[in-house]
Amino acid sequence: MFTVASLWIPFTIIAALGQVARNAMQRSLTKPLGTWGATNIRFLFGFPFSLLFLGVVLVATGDRLGMPPTAFWPWLLLGALSQIVATGLMLLAMNDRSFVVTTAYLKTEAIQTAIFGFVFLGDHLTWLKVLAIVIATIGVVITALRPGGEKSFAELKPTITGLVAAAAFALSAVGFRGAIINVPGVSFVTAASVTLVLGLFVQTLVLTVYLLWRAPKVLQGILAMWRPSMLAGFTGAFASQFWFLAFALTAAANVRTLALIEVLFAQGVAYYSFKQPIAPREIFGIALIVVGVAVLVGV
């Protein structure tokens, strides 16, 4: 039986599943729309659904909205803009180096989130939780490695780019949590929903202005493909809604560490759907992820 305080666990699992689905939909739109066009779909078509979610939440809770306090806005901008920067750096790193090695760098996000959360928000993490985060992160890195891929870690540029991208994702998580906990006088569900709406608005505005300036034809392509984009937008907003609900209830580091179970989902799909064998190294990495996550949710 879940208490309210422990609801972050199912919220995170639902969000991770939704993110996998959203990524698959965005991937199919990357070829016709380009990287930034497909990325903007997540924000542009997700924004209306976030408004719908907020409307349902307000009716259900009876909360009344006011103007967020001054302290809310720097956190929101940190979260929204860091996420855009992180996405760009991630794509740059993947161009310079293999997807697998870049993924290993990006999964240091959980550790960096713990550090930033402690420094900026004073998030309390016990030594057991810190140990769980480190164990799960090591497990992901081991799982992501491939024979011969270790050599790629010695190259400076992709290393720095990948680690900075992970730092930007970590700052994004901390920024959004900081914004959510600075929404006063409403339930945690409303605080999360309001932050999602305003965050998506900022991201939509920034990326749309950028595309108008640099690639106006991409925007025309986005509008022409509105049918598949609507589904991708809904899935993205749905996943984000549950990420934000989880951020409202616990430290961002806890959420981002539990989110590493996404690797288990991917391994399961590869094994059962594509009949790809699992190497002993991957089994060891998966075992570390399971141990880390088990410790995290059990303490």
Side-chain angles (χ1 to χ4, degrees), residues 222-246:
I222 290 174
L223 296 176
M225 299 187 66
W226 66 271
R227 290 181 187 275
S229 298
M230 287 288 283
L231 183 57
F234 169 78
T235 307
F238 177 82
S240 295
Q241 179 75 29
F242 281 91
W243 286 129
F244 281 39
L245 288 171

Side-chain angles (χ1 to χ4, degrees), residues 121-172:
L121 294 175
D123 283 341
H124 177 67
L125 293 173
T126 65
W127 283 110
L128 273 177
K129 285 187 180 291
V130 172
L131 179 63
I133 293 168
V134 173
I135 291 173
T137 301
I138 292 172
V140 171
V141 172
I142 290 174
T143 305
L145 287 175
R146 295 292 183 273
E150 295 87 345
K151 299 176 182 178
S152 301
F153 285 82
E155 298 182 27
L156 187 60
K157 183 180 176 181
T159 299
I160 293 175
T161 306
L163 292 176
V164 173
F169 276 122
L171 283 173
S172 174

Side-chain angles (χ1 to χ4, degrees), residues 27-161:
R27 190 175 297 115
S28 67
L29 296 168
T30 300
K31 186 174 181 179
L33 297 176
T35 299
W36 287 113
T39 299
N40 196 30
I41 283 172
R42 170 186 178 182
F43 306 131
L44 181 63
F45 288 90
F47 177 63
F49 289 109
S50 71
L51 289 172
L52 178 61
F53 298 158
L54 176 60
V56 172
V57 166
L58 291 177
V59 170
T61 62
D63 286 338
R64 293 188 176 183
L65 293 180
M67 178 64 68
T70 303
F72 169 87
W73 298 103
W75 291 115
L76 180 78
L77 291 175
L78 175 64
L81 299 180
S82 293
Q83 192 172 57
I84 294 175
V85 170
T87 301
L89 289 174
M90 175 186 70
L91 297 171
L92 179 61
M94 287 180 177
N95 286 334
D96 286 342
R97 185 46 52 207
S98 73
F99 175 82
V100 168
V101 174
T102 300
T103 299
Y105 291 133
L106 291 174
K107 293 309 179 183
T108 65
E109 176 198 349
I111 293 176
Q112 298 195 60
T113 300
I115 295 170
F116 291 142
F118 175 76
V119 172
F120 295 119
L121 294 175
D123 283 341
H124 177 67
L125 293 173
T126 65
W127 283 110
L128 273 177
K129 285 187 180 291
V130 172
L131 179 63
I133 293 168
V134 173
I135 291 173
T137 301
I138 292 172
V140 171
V141 172
I142 290 174
T143 305
L145 287 175
R146 295 292 183 273
E150 295 87 345
K151 299 176 182 178
S152 301
F153 285 82
E155 298 182 27
L156 187 60
K157 183 180 176 181
T159 299
I160 293 175
T161 306

Side-chain angles (χ1 to χ4, degrees), residues 36-37 40 84 203-216 219:
W36 287 113
N40 196 30
I84 294 175
Q203 291 170 321
T204 299
L205 181 64
V206 169
L207 268 184
T208 301
V209 169
Y210 172 79
L211 289 174
L212 279 171
W213 173 44
R214 296 298 300 269
L219 281 179

